[in-house]
Amino acid sequence: MKKALILINAYSKLKSAMNQPTRLKEELKKLGVEVDIRPNSIDTAMIIDGRPVSLLQDYDFVVYLDKDKYTSALLEKSGLRLFNRHEAVLICDDKMDTHIRLTSQGINMPDTIPGLLCYDKDASVQEAKDRIKLIEERLGYPCVIKESYGSLGNKVYCAENKDQLLILMEKVKLKAHLFQNMISTSRGRDVRIIVIGGKAICGMERTSQSDFRSNIELGGRAKPFNMTQPFIEMAERVAHILQLDYCGIDLLFGENGEPIVCEVNSNAFFGAMESITGINVAAIYAKHMYETVYKV
Ligand SMILES: Nc1ncnc2c1ncn2[C@@H]1O[C@H](COP(=O)(O)OP(=O)(O)O)[C@@H](O)[C@H]1O
Ligand SMILES: [Mg+2]
């Protein structure tokens, strides 16, 4: 019997978070795969006698919808195939790591300066004069400040001037973060493309009238995006470099309408994409996993 496990976050109570596992289970079932959905738990994977031990060895593969890096690392070490792979999820979870991994590969991205680690809540950002000067000279205003870990747009900020920059630097100083130039030709507008098994499947364009961030969760409106060759190529190259089985890539529009990589979501929700484009994303992902694991 073919068997798969869909592992979701241990604490997630969000109803919207259940759409993903439910749809994937449905589509895997159509292919003849028995599927269990389980929240991640303390006994999913552990180290015993110096070896990775998982209680999930009955499964042919795991659809890993969590981002917990310890569990994914141990599951993979115990021999299970994860979709996405541990390292791919790890890199995408951290926006700065994603940009670093994409450097020197001919990938367009905003100029990006990593924030420096600060352990002292009493340290003053005012003293970081050299860094502020560098940000002003290299990135200018408005500039974008992002926490490295975040989603749905709520940890992405914009500084229009030095006063706002200082306030934001103070706000994020104890967290991993980065600074970027604002791609002004794309203010309030971007494209999300889903790539599965190396192929760009579908895309939606998101626009916001009220915010520089175009996330739907913050009021952005989405419509189907007619994927042009440069966008398809950029999305597929990014997914290939990061070795993602499945992802949603956010792309900004450059001065000549060219794609610029904003971020890569290894665990992108596909509910809105399915309803906007009419494409059965879950079925295509299920087929990719099936063919990869059972080599058909
Ligand atoms: N450098 C940038 N220039 C212009 N707009 C940006 C830039 N970075 C992010 N944005 C806008 O902010 C939104 C959220 O940023 P993103 O990096 O995708 O974070 P999140 O993971 O929270 O979605 C993007 O969809 C885009 O509209
Ligand atoms: Mg995004």
Side-chain angles (χ1 to χ4, degrees), residues 95 146 150-151 153 156 180-181 183 190 213-215 250 263:
K95 289 177 175 31
K146 297 186 194 184
S151 52
V156 177
Q180 262 177 3
N181 64 318
I183 307 298
D190 78 348
R213 300 160 297 181
S214 48
N215 303 67
D250 292 351
E263 67 145 351

Side-chain angles (χ1 to χ4, degrees), residues 37 176 282:
I37 299 176

Side-chain angles (χ1 to χ4, degrees), residues 7 23 54-55 67 69 84 88 93 112 116 122 124-125 128 132-133 140 161 173 177 189-190 198 223 235 244 261:
L7 211 52
R23 288 280 299 114
S54 157
L55 303 179
K67 286 189 181 176
K69 63 179 180 177
N84 282 301
D93 197 25
T112 303
L116 299 180
D122 298 322
S124 167
V125 295
I132 292 164
K133 196 159 160 258
N161 51 48
K173 73 178 180 194
H177 63 277
R189 178 171 169 241
D190 78 348
K223 61 175 186 191
L244 287 150
V261 174

